[in-house]
């Protein structure tokens, strides 16, 4: 499973290398709060706190700052 | 309430961060204060169920454009009834489930503080947290980083967390090698008091690593893939829980392996609908661990602005998992006994499905004047319901659903 996930990451990176980058002026919607994969940090922490105690699985919540390069 | 040495340190850290926040001479964008109250209610068909009230407060102070400090505090106020025994006993009419539940109340505190360094194409953040309750203490150190590469087409994220936890347990030193002889912890009254011979403190260390790669595919699409690894080493059982084993109805404390390695692979996406001022955000995850729990989870959220001040979100989540290799239903533990030296009455180690549905509405208040003292005030009301689908004889089968209400306020200035 981990190998599969790493292969997916590798495929994503390879695809991105051959892809026309999205320009800064095209990132208006990507920078909007509704495109944030992690959501608001406090809400995310609360969600994780509830779900980690009610599901036998963890992970998949994303690392801090994984975003769209919109800074 | 008497704070421990670690508690005093964590509180001092929080107060120091707050002092910097208040006294910061630099007036810069990026200051935030937010609070949230969660009411969690898991009713039961046979007892009073579980109620959790969970207030949270967080603050972030920007020291110029590069450095920011953050501090937070939250509390779990838990009350209700929980079965301390999982199992079934032989009776004249067949197997009878053990349904007695004990009332309990507990308060768990957590305080945290951290510092973050942000540059246009990279962030680094470190934080420390301390959590304590009557029978559990936890120190947490977290470090995370983010880097944009390839013209910000890709974002690499890495996060690492280490926990040093201590769990109160009954003193079973005389039966250390005989799990069938171990007795459950009766009360937390003597926990973490070195002079009390009936309790011991057990260690648990947790190392968690998560890596993700986010690809800005088009002006409308974000795609992310990642992996999570977690290694737990130490006491992981519920010290209060006993399991009924065998036809003689032998009662033994829950027994779990000391080592657990957990793996997850995940993919997430966000798709924008600019014309509708809306987006769809999704997640899919597969999971496996060395206790042979296998799980798959999928989640989808739809967000849409209504006018200038309302943001609506609707989400659904589905989770399915197999039980741990040593998990059996209560009747199976009673008729067949345990499969080895491990047994559990934990719902999260059983075969189960759950479905979550919910919605939230956010009121976005942005001042008309450009020189207002604040930049944005958000007020949020959120509701979620979790439905559990458990087979007969599973732990907590009397709890079919949970209701979660949240009220939050967030101020940016």
């Amino acid at each position: 499973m981990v190998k599969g996930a790493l292969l997916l990451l590798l495929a994503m990176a390879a695809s991105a290398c051959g892809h026309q980058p999205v320009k800064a002026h095209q990132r208006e919607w990507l920078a909007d709060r509704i495109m944030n994969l992690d959501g608001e940090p406090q809400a995310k922490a609360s969600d994780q706190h509830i779900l980690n105690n009610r599901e036998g699985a963890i992970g998949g919540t994303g690392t801090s700052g994984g975003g769209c390069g919109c800074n | 309430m008497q704070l421990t040495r670690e508690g005093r340190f964590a509180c001092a850290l929080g107060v120091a961060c707050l002092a910097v926040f208040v006294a910061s001479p630099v007036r810069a964008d990026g200051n935030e204060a937010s609070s949230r109250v969660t009411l969690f209610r898991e009713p039961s068909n046979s007892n009073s169920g579980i109620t959790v009230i969970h207030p949270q407060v967080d603050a972030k102070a920007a020291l110029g454009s590069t450095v920011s400090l953050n501090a937070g505090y939250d509390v779990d106020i838990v009350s209700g009834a929980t079965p301390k025994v999982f199992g079934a006993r032989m009776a004249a009419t067949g197997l009878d489930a053990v349904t007695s539940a004990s009332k309990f109340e507990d308060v768990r505190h957590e305080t945290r503080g951290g510092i973050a360094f942000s540059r246009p194409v990279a962030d680094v953040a470190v934080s420390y947290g301390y959590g304590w309750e009557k029978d559990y203490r936890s120190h947490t150190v977290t470090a995370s980083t983010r880097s944009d590469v390839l013209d910000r087409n890709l974002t690499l994220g890495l996060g690492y967390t280490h926990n040093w936890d201590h769990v109160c347990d009954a003193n079973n030193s005389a039966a250390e090698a005989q799990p069938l002889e171990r007795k459950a912890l009766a009360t937390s009254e003597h926990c973490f008091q070195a002079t009390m011979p009936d309790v011991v403190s057990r260690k648990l260390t947790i190392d968690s690593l998560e890596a993700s790669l986010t690809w800005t595919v088009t002006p409308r699409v974000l795609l992310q893939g990642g992996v999570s690894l977690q290694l737990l080493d130490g006491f992981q059982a519920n010290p209060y829980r006993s399991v009924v084993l065998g036809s003689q109805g032998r009662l033994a404390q829950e027994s779990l392996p000391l080592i657990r390695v957990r793996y997850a692979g995940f993919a997430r996406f966000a798709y924008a609908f600019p014309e509708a001022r809306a987006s769809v955000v999704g997640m899919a995850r597969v999971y496996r661990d060395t206790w042979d729990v296998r799980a798959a989870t999928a989640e989808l959220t739809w967000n849409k602005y209504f006018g200038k001040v309302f943001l609506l979100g609707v989400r659904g989540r589905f989770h399915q998992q197999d039980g741990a290799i040593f998990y059996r239903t209560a009747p199976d533990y009673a008729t067949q006994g345990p499969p080895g030296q491990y047994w559990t009455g934990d719902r999260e180690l059983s075969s189960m499905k759950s479905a979550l549905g919910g919605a939230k509405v956010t009121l976005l208040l942005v001042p008309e004047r450009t020189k207002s003292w604040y930049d944005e005030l958000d007020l949020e009301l959120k509701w979620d319901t979790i439905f559990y689908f458990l087979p007969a004889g599973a732990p907590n089968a009397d709890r079919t659903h949970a209701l979660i209400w949240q009220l939050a306020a967030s101020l940016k200035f």
Side-chain angles (χ1 to χ4, degrees), chain B residues 66-150:
Chain B
T66 303
V67 181
S68 64
L69 295 176
N70 58 76
Y73 174 70
D74 61 78
V75 188
D76 272 331
I77 304 162
V78 189
S79 61
T82 186
K84 288 191 171 180
V85 177
F86 172 65
R89 284 202 168 91
M90 292 292 201
T93 53
L95 280 170
D96 271 353
V98 178
T99 54
S100 65
S102 304
K103 286 192 173 180
F104 76 104
E105 289 180 354
D106 204 355
V107 180
R108 173 184 169 274
H109 306 262
E110 186 184 315
T111 184
R112 57 196 167 273
I115 186 167
F117 302 89
S118 302
R119 301 295 297 161
V121 293
D123 296 337
V124 177
V126 291
S127 63
Y128 167 77
Y130 177 63
W132 70 97
E133 55 193 301
K134 283 186 288 189
D135 50 19
Y136 204 98
R137 292 175 182 176
S138 174
H139 300 268
T140 308
V141 172
T142 300
S144 62
T145 179
R146 174 198 65 85
S147 298
D148 294 333
V149 295
L150 293 177

Side-chain angles (χ1 to χ4, degrees), chain B residues 26 37 45 49 56 66-67 73 76 96 105 141 160 182 185 205 213 264 278 309 313 337 340 353 358 369-370 396 408:
Chain B
V26 182
V37 177
N45 298 331
Q56 299 166 266
T66 303
V67 181
Y73 174 70
D76 272 331
D96 271 353
E105 289 180 354
V141 172
Y160 172 74
R182 289 184 206 144
L185 180 66
T205 59
L213 190 64
V309 295
K353 297 174 188 171
R369 291 181 297 123
T370 53
N396 301 125

Side-chain angles (χ1 to χ4, degrees), chain A residues 19 32 34 46 49 59 65 71, chain B residues 76 146 152 217 279 285 305:
Chain A
H19 194 266
D32 194 282
I34 63 173
S46 176
H49 183 57
N71 288 345
Chain B
D76 272 331
R146 174 198 65 85
R152 299 185 172 185
V217 186
S279 75
R285 175 184 72 190
Y305 289 103

Side-chain angles (χ1 to χ4, degrees), chain B residues 228-246:
Chain B
S228 301
L229 300 172
Q230 189 178 70
L231 169 63
L232 298 99
D233 182 359
F235 185 77
Q236 298 171 56
N238 180 336
Y240 300 100
R241 185 183 291 138
S242 296
V243 180
V244 181
L245 302 169

Side-chain angles (χ1 to χ4, degrees), chain B residues 283-301:
Chain B
M283 181 278 277
R285 175 184 72 190
V286 287
Y287 168 91
R288 187 172 185 182
D289 64 34
T290 51
W291 295 359
D292 211 26
V293 176
R294 302 173 193 212
T297 310
E299 182 172 329
L300 210 57
T301 305

Side-chain angles (χ1 to χ4, degrees), chain A residues 5 9 12 16 19 27 30 32-34 38 42 46-47 49 54-56 59-63 65 67 71, chain B residues 40 58 76 146 152 210 212-214 217 225 227 262 266 268 279 285 305 315 317 321 376 378 388 406:
Chain A
L9 291 180
M12 277 177 61
H19 194 266
R27 294 175 186 260
L30 296 174
D32 194 282
R33 63 197 296 159
I34 63 173
D38 288 331
Q42 196 179 60
S46 176
D47 247 24
H49 183 57
R54 274 148 198 94
E55 294 176 354
T61 52
T63 50
N71 288 345
Chain B
F40 177 91
D58 286 278
D76 272 331
R146 174 198 65 85
R152 299 185 172 185
E210 187 154 292
S212 67
L213 190 64
T214 309
V217 186
V227 290
R262 316 175 82 181
F266 61 89
R268 303 197 292 177
S279 75
R285 175 184 72 190
Y305 289 103
R315 75 164 173 165
R317 179 184 176 96
Q321 67 179 59
E376 185 175 331
D378 297 347
Y388 305 111
Q406 290 187 343

